[in-house]
Amino acid sequence: MHRRALLALALAAPALARAQGASPLPVVASFSILGDMVRQIGGDQVAVHVIAGPDVDAHSFQPRPSDAQALRGAALVLRNGLGFDAWMDRLLNAAGAAPAAVTATEGIAARQIPDEDRDGHAHERKQEHEHEAGAPDPHAWQDLRHGQTYVRNIAAALQVADPARAAAFQRGAEAYLRRLATLDGWVRAQIATVPEARRKVVTSHDAFGYFGAAYGVRFLAPQGVSTESEPSAAQVAQLIRTLKREGITAVFLENMANPATLRRLAAEAGVKVQGRLYADALSPADGPAPTYEAMFRHNLGLLVPAMRGAG
Ligand code: ZN
């Protein structure tokens, strides 16, 4: 074949391969949990690029120029929404020719951040944290029923982006939804083994509001719903009093948050830190929570014995 014809063929190859269904659909996800959900639905039919990767705190994430580059080649862009990954707007602007982002929490009735959830002293905090009043809690994935809404939204977006693979995406989504429904039942059965009065947990920041509401566990945190604000000394002191008064033994760090405040709090309250919960990001592939499903199994494996007081 002529040299020039060969070159033309090579240049046309990726588009041709995609049309024939051989090349996976390029998808960009804002953070690791969304990235895993797309992979679970799409399998080898998708090539997923995650922007805020394993163990990365997406609240305070600073995108790099290479992230804008990844958006330019994407057929589908996914974000959580509810103010969690608002930096995606800046990134999409910087990228220019990227597709509009699909919001995975679309249709979910967002939980508002109730002030008393943090330390029981709403009146003190209201003045200090006015910027948080009435803001939506973005951590909807911590309720597996909401997780199923994420999956339906992602599957619908994949089908629009690549109609030729719609049936495959549908099959992938249905199998995944069945697993998540089973996992939701397992989580409830696990929590049911803990006496109601002991279902109390302290974590670094307010990532488990949806988990608490769905599964009947009360979570307390020195840091608010975003990891960007630091708790005051008065808030930490108040939480230590609550811990002692209620005999709370389930105190946890989070994989992507700064551990300093929580370690100090646990030391002053005389309790042991029971381990590391996966809250806003997954672990790397060789860690204990490389998938959304593994994250729940890992967290429950730590939470249940700690709440019982056996830790
Ligand atoms: Zn968070």
Side-chain angles (χ1 to χ4, degrees):
M1 204 184 290
H2 195 272
R3 205 186 168 85
R4 188 169 290 178
L6 254 178
L7 185 67
L9 199 71
L11 287 172
L16 227 132
R18 203 160 116 201
Q20 290 169 347
S23 167
L25 186 75
V27 180
V28 173
S30 62
F31 76 118
S32 55
I33 292 170
L34 282 186
D36 173 57
M37 288 176 166
V38 183
R39 288 190 189 105
Q40 298 299 331
I41 298 166
D44 57 9
Q45 308 283 305
V46 290
V48 185
H49 176 93
V50 171
I51 296 177
D55 290 336
V56 170
D57 181 1
H59 287 287
S60 56
F61 185 73
Q62 299 291 332
R64 298 142 299 194
S66 61
D67 296 319
Q69 184 60 40
L71 284 175
R72 273 182 220 116
L76 173 62
V77 177
L78 293 163
R79 69 156 143 223
N80 184 75
L82 304 178
F84 182 66
D85 39 16
W87 42 265
M88 282 291 280
D89 289 327
R90 292 200 307 277
L91 201 55
L92 284 161
N93 279 337
V102 170
T103 301
T105 52
E106 190 72 52
I108 291 174
R111 181 180 172 274
Q112 302 301 306
I113 301 156
D115 270 347
E116 67 271 22
D117 260 23
R118 284 195 32 205
D119 62 10
H121 278 243
H123 52 278
E124 268 177 39
R125 233 180 18 251
K126 251 188 182 121
Q127 293 134 5
E128 290 169 33
H129 290 268
E130 263 171 357
H131 58 283
E132 283 186 1
D137 179 347
H139 307 89
W141 63 84
Q142 289 293 353
D143 174 345
L144 279 156
R145 286 168 309 180
H146 290 329
Q148 291 168 68
T149 302
Y150 279 60
V151 170
R152 287 190 200 95
N153 286 337
I154 295 167
L158 284 168
Q159 289 173 321
V160 169
D162 193 350
R165 283 162 161 147
F169 293 144
Q170 188 65 31
R171 280 194 303 277
E174 280 169 9
Y176 190 31
L177 286 167
R178 280 194 295 275
R179 296 207 305 277
L180 294 185
T182 303
L183 186 59
D184 184 67
W186 177 81
V187 170
R188 288 169 199 284
Q190 287 290 305
I191 300 292
T193 67
V194 181
E196 251 183 84
R198 303 236 18 111
R199 294 177 195 166
K200 292 170 193 161
V201 178
V202 174
T203 54
S204 303
H205 90 296
D206 260 341
F208 294 94
Y210 291 91
F211 185 105
Y215 306 114
V217 177
R218 188 164 159 234
F219 282 84
L220 302 157
Q223 204 169 26
V225 90
S226 170
T227 52
E228 288 175 291
S229 60
E230 279 299 318
S232 71
Q235 287 169 336
V236 173
Q238 173 60 37
L239 189 52
I240 289 169
R241 284 195 293 275
T242 306
L243 230 97
K244 286 179 170 166
R245 189 179 62 235
E246 303 195 17
I248 297 172
T249 49
V251 178
F252 290 96
L253 301 176
E254 290 161 16
N255 63 314
M256 70 313 139
N258 182 345
T261 300
L262 203 89
R263 283 196 200 283
R264 197 180 73 223
L265 185 149
E268 286 179 30
V271 297
K272 201 176 119 211
V273 174
Q274 303 280 338
R276 199 173 286 265
L277 297 177
Y278 282 80
D280 292 10
L282 301 175
S283 72
D286 59 353
T291 68
Y292 179 58
E293 293 159 276
M295 176 181 82
F296 275 91
R297 288 192 290 267
H298 170 83
N299 286 351
L300 267 291
L302 289 176
L303 284 168
V304 169
M307 286 192 288
R308 285 200 198 123

